[in-house]
Amino acid sequence: MKRLFPLLLLLLIAACKKEKVNPAQTSTFCIQSAANGANYTIKVALPDDYDAAKKYATIYVLDGKDNFDYVAANAKKLSNELGKTNALVVCIGYGNDRAVDYTPTDAKEGDGGADGFMQFIKNELVPKMEHDYGADTQRQSRTILGHSFGGLLAAYAFTNYNSVFGNYIMLSPSLWYDNEILLKLEQEHRQANQANPQLVFMGLGELENSGRMQAPYAAFLQRLQQNYPGMKIDSHIASQLDHMGSKNPNILKGLRFYFQNKASN
Amino acid sequence: MKLLKYLPLAVLLMSAVTAYAQDRTTKPTAKQLAQQQLTIEPGIGINPMPISDMLVSNVVQYNIKKRLSVVSYSSYTFNNAFKRTFNNIHTNYNYSLSQKLGVGTSVYSKHMSHTFALLAGVKYTAFKETLDNPEFEKVSASVSSFSPDLGLMYNLKLGTKKYFFSYRMYLPLNPYPFKTRDINAIDGNLAYISLELGLGIRLGMPSGVK
């Protein structure tokens, strides 16, 4: 037992180790948005052997402050494992409160600034990434990843800004927001979006039992599965995990799905 | 005269019987009572963060030694008790059943005892939601799941008689304590802290102590 103790301690430390990205492979800049006036800090994780002359796919990550290290480290790991070229991981920091930027309408729980935020991404951030970092200009090469209100924004990007992103990783999306406004928006934009080729990954925690997460998720998933012939879709319910607990396991599942199915190598 | 030979033996025997009888009728001290071996403590409680779940529970504690006990904890939780309809989403049912076993240690004072126990067991959670928005199709989703349940319990027994007041706090150690930015959810173990009050009974109490 005495011999086992250091080994167990090492395993515990290894299990608690937080993913870190090599600072030499990251780049940070700020943008004052013309669309909504907010000041966003953007962190970019560059692939190994990054060459500005090449074209790279991009993964835009919401709640960037919290998710940068985890997403960047695992994108690198999974792309290596699957033999795919890694993407530029672009993490968007908070310019406004997330209840402003990530919510599509003005309701009790949020202020409805998603339109301004999407304008910022579409007209300012994406062009800057293409110009300064060699980001691929095709819709199919761009992914948006968000959790909770971030997942709601990813769903809003899918319905209302489908020309911007070709891939969506929506984790525990707050589809209950404003009496399920996203279901309404999906219905309104279905005809325009349904033929587009796209990858969609949806994830949820099995124990998200707050009485608002499961049914709208099932309704949205069902609609996507039934009405979008151009879409490749997957869903994962993380066993025994709740809202925050399911986030990282579902990020892994979502990134794996993306790298396995992305358009180019 | 022959009987006189046995008198000392008879006195000795009667003294022993009297001494034993006196020992059995001595009123137990408060400490002895508090350390009584088996207690049953039914109670009710809430998960206060946020105040959305109500529960009924029962703790059975058996003191193997003065400072060592085995503890059983059972509970039924009525989850999300106060908000069964939200934004057209109706909760059809939502409950958890938990059974845990563990070991505890107790410290005693004049009128109370404090027990700290480490518990491990299993929790069964079942719930069903239905989206019933008149603008859309009706969709239901249900979950039934077993998950591990591990945690620390503090148990206060107030009173040294047969019936006593019981207070307990259970701090789960899983799911891992994640902080959240979502204003609408408190997650991880924080969501499952429980505060409970109840009435306990000591079994095997001497007669006359109530």
Side-chain angles (χ1 to χ4, degrees):
Chain A
M1 188 64 197
K2 273 182 185 172
R3 283 180 190 173
L4 273 177
F5 183 72
L7 185 67
L8 289 172
L9 196 68
L10 270 176
L11 283 172
L12 190 70
I13 292 166
C16 295
K17 205 179 96 183
K18 213 177 167 187
E19 285 78 3
K20 278 279 170 197
V21 178
N22 181 0
Q25 282 183 284
T26 66
S27 167
T28 305
F29 60 90
C30 290
I31 308 182
Q32 171 93 42
S33 169
N36 63 11
N39 196 19
Y40 294 95
T41 301
I42 311 296
K43 275 178 100 172
V44 183
L46 307 169
D48 287 339
D49 306 321
Y50 169 73
D51 178 357
K54 284 185 181 173
K55 293 290 173 201
Y56 291 95
T58 39
I59 303 172
Y60 292 84
V61 182
L62 304 170
D63 292 310
K65 191 167 173 266
D66 294 336
N67 298 327
F68 177 74
D69 286 322
Y70 192 79
V71 175
N74 285 293
K76 180 180 173 179
K77 192 176 149 193
L78 284 167
S79 58
N80 284 340
E81 185 188 319
L82 297 167
K84 304 277 180 159
T85 308
N86 195 6
L88 292 161
V89 176
V90 186
C91 287
I92 309 171
Y94 300 114
N96 288 312
D97 192 282
R98 68 201 294 276
V100 176
D101 277 350
Y102 298 174
T103 54
T105 48
D106 190 1
K108 194 181 159 197
E109 295 86 1
D111 295 348
D115 199 48
F117 185 61
M118 283 305 302
Q119 292 291 340
F120 156 70
I121 293 176
K122 182 185 172 189
N123 299 325
E124 299 170 59
L125 183 57
V126 167
K128 183 170 174 64
M129 289 306 302
E130 288 168 357
H131 185 264
D132 295 357
Y133 289 88
D136 196 326
T137 55
Q138 290 182 59
R139 168 185 173 272
Q140 274 305 97
S141 71
R142 289 192 287 266
T143 303
I144 185 165
L145 182 157
H147 174 261
S148 194
F149 269 6
L152 177 74
L153 185 91
Y156 178 68
F158 170 79
T159 59
N160 288 40
Y161 288 84
N162 200 267
S163 61
V164 180
F165 296 101
N167 315 297
Y168 302 85
I169 300 176
M170 307 172 195
L171 310 176
S172 300
S174 306
L175 297 168
W176 49 264
Y177 186 81
D178 194 10
N179 291 305
E180 302 79 36
I181 186 70
L182 251 297
L183 291 180
K184 200 173 178 180
L185 293 174
E186 184 278 325
Q187 215 161 339
E188 284 173 11
H189 295 87
R190 185 181 296 166
Q191 211 173 358
N193 298 335
Q194 66 187 161
N196 291 342
Q198 43 213 341
L199 295 176
V200 174
F201 178 87
M202 291 181 68
L204 192 67
E206 186 184 46
L207 295 181
E208 295 198 43
N209 67 342
S210 57
R212 59 183 69 180
M213 299 302 291
Q214 304 279 347
Y217 179 94
F220 197 73
L221 177 65
Q222 192 176 298
R223 285 183 177 197
L224 299 192
Q225 286 171 330
Q226 288 173 356
N227 299 298
Y228 291 81
M231 174 186 290
K232 188 158 193 177
I233 185 165
D234 194 16
S235 163
H236 181 252
I237 306 292
S239 174
Q240 299 177 7
L241 293 171
D242 59 11
H243 189 65
M244 292 305 286
S246 65
K247 184 176 84 168
N248 284 353
N250 277 337
I251 285 176
L252 277 185
K253 292 274 179 189
L255 287 175
R256 183 175 286 277
F257 173 76
Y258 164 70
F259 280 113
Q260 277 173 339
N261 295 287
K262 72 180 195 143
S264 60
N265 194 43
Chain B
M1 289 304 282
K2 255 189 176 180
L3 281 176
L4 282 176
K5 274 199 326 191
Y6 298 102
L7 190 62
L9 193 62
V11 169
L12 200 67
L13 187 66
M14 286 175 73
S15 305
V17 169
T18 310
Y20 178 75
Q22 278 178 351
D23 179 51
R24 297 303 291 168
T25 54
T26 302
K27 209 173 174 184
T29 63
K31 258 191 170 178
Q32 283 171 323
L33 290 175
Q35 293 162 19
Q36 199 73 31
Q37 279 191 326
L38 183 64
T39 54
I40 297 177
E41 301 164 56
I44 56 167
I46 54 167
N47 292 338
M49 294 173 64
I51 303 173
S52 60
D53 306 335
M54 295 188 74
L55 61 121
V56 289
S57 64
N58 187 36
V59 169
V60 178
Q61 182 177 334
Y62 179 72
N63 292 339
I64 300 167
K65 289 181 177 177
K66 184 183 171 186
R67 299 205 186 278
L68 180 67
S69 52
V70 287
V71 179
S72 160
Y73 177 101
S74 319
S75 68
Y76 170 85
T77 308
F78 187 61
N79 295 316
N80 204 19
F82 305 107
K83 209 164 197 175
R84 307 298 275 191
T85 300
F86 173 77
N87 281 7
N88 304 303
I89 305 157
H90 177 65
T91 299
N92 303 86
Y93 57 84
N94 190 350
Y95 65 90
S96 302
L97 292 165
S98 175
Q99 176 60 53
K100 298 182 273 284
L101 297 170
V103 290
T105 186
S106 302
V107 288
Y108 301 91
S109 61
K110 197 173 178 185
H111 299 297
M112 62 184 84
S113 69
H114 312 266
T115 302
F116 301 89
L118 176 65
L119 301 171
V122 66
K123 184 157 88 168
Y124 172 73
T125 303
F127 61 98
K128 183 179 179 184
E129 292 171 13
T130 300
L131 173 63
D132 195 3
N133 187 327
E135 292 183 64
F136 317 125
E137 65 278 17
K138 197 170 173 176
V139 177
S140 292
S142 61
V143 167
S144 59
S145 160
F146 282 97
S147 54
D149 195 357
L150 175 73
L152 297 168
M153 186 182 71
Y154 163 71
N155 181 201
L156 167 73
K157 294 176 179 59
L158 192 61
T160 53
K161 296 184 177 175
K162 185 168 183 176
Y163 296 99
F164 59 92
F165 169 79
S166 168
Y167 166 78
R168 49 192 175 259
M169 183 172 85
Y170 178 66
L171 172 67
L173 297 176
N174 70 302
Y176 185 76
F178 290 97
K179 286 180 181 173
T180 173
R181 285 182 172 277
D182 191 331
I183 54 167
N184 298 295
I186 287 179
D187 242 15
N189 67 338
L190 293 180
Y192 301 104
I193 290 174
S194 70
L195 304 177
E196 299 158 35
L197 300 172
L199 180 73
I201 179 169
R202 292 188 171 88
L203 296 183
M205 288 291 289
S207 59
V209 180
K210 287 184 178 163

